[in-house]
Structures are given as C-alpha cells and as structure tokens.
Amino acid sequence: MSVPRYWREIPYRIRLEAKKCKLCNYVNYPPRSKCLKCGSTEFEKYILPKRGKLLSFSIIRNPPIGFDKKTPYVIGLVELEDGTRLITQITDIDINELKIGMEVEQVFRKITEDGDSGIIQYGVKFRPKNM
Ligand SMILES: [Zn+2]
C-alpha cells in the first residue's frame, strides 16, 4: 500500500470512522463516496461503537505475504452494538476459546509491516471483552 493511501485511510482505520447516509441512515463502513443502499452522496460523520459480538470467524494459517507474520490468526465477522457488521482481526485470544456470540471490544494494534518501505501499519482489531 502506498504511503498517501495509508494516511488518507487513517481516520477510519484508527477510530472506526464511518459515514452515515443523511437520506436513509445507512452506516457505510469503510466510508464510500456513494451510499451502498441508496446511492446518495450526502453523509454525516459517524463513529462506530467500540463493542460488539462475534458472528463468525475463520482461522488463517497461510496469510498473504506481508500480512501478520504470527500465524495462525483469526479473522472475524463482528456485529457492533448499533448493528453495523465488519470484518476484522480478532486478537489476544487462544483459538480454542473462540465462540460464536462472544463479546468483543476494539483495540488498536499493529496490522502489517511492509519490509521494503519499512512502513508499519496500525489499525483496529477486536479482542474478547474483559471478563
Ligand atoms: Zn443512503
């Protein structure tokens, strides 16, 4: 990923910033230039909730080159408290303890390290909510 694109994406990578459609109220995440539901281009800024539930997950044992070197790792589908769903990495968990429906919360972590450019990318992941 290029440096300019990385910086441009920072607001939604680190704060889970979405765009809420002014016409139909659909929350577009990642942000788009047109509403996925109605095609409107009128939005207001919207910060997604920090907590949600794990709806499904898969365990990745052979990651793409440059992606997290620690394997296996977990990619999950999370439904946030407001109903928004997103695909995210689940971290800080023993894979044997993964459960559908478990509560998760947002954390800020390193996502990839680009060996050639030396860019380390940070972003949002989710971990089991403190019990
Ligand atoms: Zn809309």
Side-chain angles (χ1 to χ4, degrees):
M1 185 186 296
S2 69
V3 173
R5 183 170 154 220
Y6 176 58
W7 288 109
R8 210 164 51 236
E9 290 182 350
I10 277 184
Y12 85 81
R13 283 177 177 275
I14 68 178
R15 284 203 306 260
L16 284 192
E17 193 176 303
K19 284 173 160 182
K20 189 171 186 173
C21 177
K22 285 186 175 172
L23 226 64
C24 72
N25 288 326
Y26 180 74
V27 174
N28 289 264
Y29 182 83
R32 298 174 179 86
S33 50
K34 277 185 183 173
C35 175
L36 193 67
K37 281 272 152 76
C38 74
S40 161
T41 54
E42 298 283 307
F43 295 104
E44 59 192 50
K45 200 162 88 177
Y46 180 81
I47 305 293
L48 292 167
K50 290 184 163 51
R51 290 199 192 84
K53 260 192 315 196
L54 186 62
L55 292 187
S56 72
F57 58 85
S58 43
I59 295 163
I60 311 293
R61 295 176 197 279
N62 299 299
I65 292 167
F67 209 73
D68 204 324
K69 291 186 181 83
K70 274 189 284 176
T71 55
Y73 64 90
V74 182
I75 297 292
L77 175 64
V78 170
E79 185 174 84
L80 300 174
E81 285 169 336
D82 69 348
T84 303
R85 294 178 175 193
L86 58 96
I87 305 278
T88 181
Q89 189 171 341
I90 309 298
T91 188
D92 300 354
I93 187 164
D94 179 336
I95 44 180
N96 299 312
E97 286 168 13
L98 280 163
K99 261 189 291 204
I100 300 294
M102 73 191 301
E103 292 192 60
V104 291
E105 65 185 5
Q106 184 186 317
V107 281
F108 185 60
R109 288 293 158 78
K110 184 165 95 174
I111 292 197
T112 64
E113 199 171 334
D114 182 331
D116 296 332
S117 64
I119 299 173
I120 297 174
Q121 295 182 22
Y122 290 87
V124 170
K125 297 182 183 182
F126 281 75
R127 69 175 178 204
K129 203 175 133 193
N130 286 332
M131 283 161 257

